[in-house]
Amino acid sequence: MTVLEPKNRGNNDSQRDARGVRYARYRTIIECVAEAPVFDLEYVQHTCRPEKPGFVTRVVNELVREGWLVSEADEGETRFRWNSGRGEFSMSRWLDEKMFGAQIKARPMSDRPRERLMKLGAAELANAELIAILIRSGLPGESAVMAGEKVAMKFADRLEQLADAGRAELRDISRAVNSTAWCQIMAGIELGRRIAALTDRPITERISSTRDAIEFCQRTFARLIRDARQEEFHIVTLDTKNQVIDTHRITVGTLDASLVHPREVFRKAIRDAAQSIILVHNHPSGDATPSREDHEVTRRLETVGETVGIRILDHIVLGNPDCASIRESR
């Protein structure tokens, strides 16, 4: 029996290829424009060579018509700047809506979240991409990538609260988050929690030297050393015999004395009835050399610790492969 190929299969393939090429052309121009707070057409046309000037002009004009860019006359020349009042511009969302709608399959292979995960690893993906993978499929007019970006943007500065989001709340953010997608997101979060509870669980032991402190931190915070892409500040609480009670994450982000608030640090220590604590944070660069800010944070917390009667035993900086003790570096 002869199986006949659909007559339009070749046309569909060629159309998909054409859209992929057009997507790449648009993306090149958007990336160029995104790097310049103020620019003129000549700058973009020159930077995007060998792209045709007419196509560059058309893309810029589309952004102006949609309100993403504002054109201004400056000494007879037209300049463009991003419109801050329009909100945050998402390049991937704009490109999806421009060319693919809900058809994520039409995106270039290298730009699909699942393919990027397989090629680069989960740690290299943005929050929006990870959420898009959990959502899996979109709806007409809204792809899984668009939905992932909407959810990630909504929880940008409070990602930990995503675990408490109900089905209706996420559905209001994106129509693509149906009951199945919500279950997949919640299951992914819970699995991550359980793995973190196993890998970050402190080992009950006594810290009697700087070497003990470093070795304990290397084991307990192996995830930070291996995978973290930004700085995290933790504490280890200890009892009267310098035995580990627990560990607590205090902040995420570049270490700064204004961000590491003594109230949060010592609230955890007081709750654990700790006699002393060890400060811990990582350097994603891998270089464990303590910075000026590291020393400032340590001195500030030591002063507060003397007041509340909780001693700072040390401050361990996690690098890869080495770690450093701020107490020893003084």
Side-chain angles (χ1 to χ4, degrees), residues 231 233 254-258 260 279 281 283 287-302 315 317 326 329-330:
E231 292 189 13
F233 183 84
T254 302
L255 192 66
D256 183 274
S258 64
V260 181
L279 312 177
H281 86 282
H283 282 179
D287 182 0
T289 305
S291 66
R292 178 177 58 82
E293 289 78 11
D294 297 343
H295 284 284
E296 288 179 0
V297 169
T298 305
R299 285 192 293 269
R300 183 186 184 199
L301 293 177
E302 284 176 337
H315 185 166
V317 182
I326 286 185
S329 68
R330 290 174 172 173

Side-chain angles (χ1 to χ4, degrees), residues 298-316:
T298 305
R299 285 192 293 269
R300 183 186 184 199
L301 293 177
E302 284 176 337
T303 300
V304 177
E306 292 174 0
T307 302
V308 300
I310 298 177
R311 183 185 173 197
I312 307 294
L313 287 187
D314 207 336
H315 185 166
I316 305 300

